Amino acid sequence: MSFPDMSMRRLGLTAAAAIMAVAFAGTAAAQSMVVRSTGPSAGKYPTGTKLKSTDKLALVAGDKVVLMQAGKTRTLSGPGTFGATGQIQANQTMGATVTRMLSTGPTMRSRGGFSRGAESDAPVNVRAPNVWLLDYRENGTFCVVDPTTLMLWRPNMEGDTALEIESAGKKATVAIVDGANFRKWPTDTLPVQYGVDYRLSGAGLAKPVTVRFTAMGTVPDTVEGSVDILMAKGCSPQLNRLVDAMSESEAAGG
């Protein structure tokens, strides 16, 4: 075999290896995870299910499944049969939304990106602008990144209000003044303890809310990692908040 022939063969093998590497990476990245499942088939595709690229989802009328793939969401609505993976267009809004929702940096004690009018008109539909803010309207388990900086959040900024917090016979009152929708958890009088129920009342709540804290630990570098931990620890309110924000970005920007 001549020298040019050997060189061409090496180039061919290198190119083939590169193609295989790209194909393998694409296959790995193409895996999807169910992050929300509602409707008659919810039990068939529960939240947290990992799907291979060859899997199919058979949905009936009323089904809605939200898949997460490569940090983006894809919403499937029944009836119909769908592949577990699909082309999801790049969406700058999605990336910005994920960054904002999972940021653990300092939180501005302001309107959180929402207009005063919008909050006043439909406060029930207003979502906290970050996963680590404690929306005191939400029952359930809450994953805490840093208990010393835990912030309470309300959906509007109008009027003075007082939130009553009670746990194990101890009580604390948190005042939120007109023009603010953030307030620090009262760590001095009622420190955050894990695995303990806290009863929240007042502050416009129609009925008391019960919250239980669990330690989040280090926040993963990827949205998939964060979703996995939120699922594993049962922090459903935060998971739902993140999925809602991602789904809205998906609908707005594709």
Side-chain angles (χ1 to χ4, degrees), residues 10-58:
R10 289 194 188 99
L11 287 172
L13 290 172
T14 301
I19 292 171
M20 289 178 65
V22 171
F24 178 79
T27 299
Q31 289 186 334
S32 299
M33 176 169 59
V34 177
V35 293
R36 176 173 295 161
S37 183
T38 59
S41 303
K44 189 177 178 181
Y45 307 108
T47 298
T49 301
K50 303 291 181 65
L51 301 170
K52 301 189 296 292
S53 58
T54 55
D55 288 340
K56 300 287 186 181
L57 291 83

Side-chain angles (χ1 to χ4, degrees), residues 5-223:
D5 290 338
M6 292 180 64
S7 297
M8 291 299 294
R9 185 177 180 183
R10 289 194 188 99
L11 287 172
L13 290 172
T14 301
I19 292 171
M20 289 178 65
V22 171
F24 178 79
T27 299
Q31 289 186 334
S32 299
M33 176 169 59
V34 177
V35 293
R36 176 173 295 161
S37 183
T38 59
S41 303
K44 189 177 178 181
Y45 307 108
T47 298
T49 301
K50 303 291 181 65
L51 301 170
K52 301 189 296 292
S53 58
T54 55
D55 288 340
K56 300 287 186 181
L57 291 83
L59 305 183
V60 300
D63 282 337
K64 181 170 286 188
V65 175
V66 180
L67 302 179
M68 188 171 68
Q69 175 187 327
K72 305 177 183 69
T73 56
R74 176 176 170 230
T75 302
L76 308 177
S77 299
T81 300
F82 306 88
T85 60
Q87 186 65 35
I88 303 178
Q89 298 297 322
N91 183 348
Q92 291 182 346
T93 302
M94 176 78 75
T97 296
V98 169
T99 298
R100 172 174 54 81
M101 293 298 292
L102 293 176
S103 173
T104 57
T107 301
M108 293 180 61
R109 302 186 187 189
S110 63
R111 300 181 183 181
F114 299 101
S115 69
R116 193 184 195 102
E119 291 172 354
S120 178
D121 294 340
V124 174
N125 298 322
V126 177
R127 178 180 54 250
N130 185 280
V131 168
W132 314 119
L133 293 169
L134 176 58
D135 181 343
Y136 60 72
R137 301 172 298 173
E138 298 175 338
N139 280 288
T141 301
F142 186 89
C143 286
V144 179
V145 175
D146 182 356
T148 65
T149 60
L150 177 63
M151 300 291 290
L152 291 156
W153 181 89
R154 66 170 176 169
N156 60 69
M157 300 174 62
E158 296 181 357
D160 298 335
T161 192
L163 179 69
E164 302 290 335
I165 305 175
E166 182 178 359
S167 179
K170 296 182 179 180
K171 295 182 180 181
T173 300
V174 177
I176 306 178
V177 299
D178 182 61
N181 54 359
F182 296 95
R183 186 64 191 269
K184 190 175 181 297
W185 180 272
T187 51
D188 292 340
T189 56
L190 205 60
V192 171
Q193 296 184 31
Y194 300 130
V196 175
D197 286 345
Y198 292 83
R199 184 179 183 272
L200 283 59
S201 61
L205 292 172
K207 59 181 180 180
V209 166
T210 300
V211 175
R212 174 171 287 219
F213 297 120
T214 188
M216 176 67 182
T218 302
V219 178
D221 294 332
T222 64
V223 63

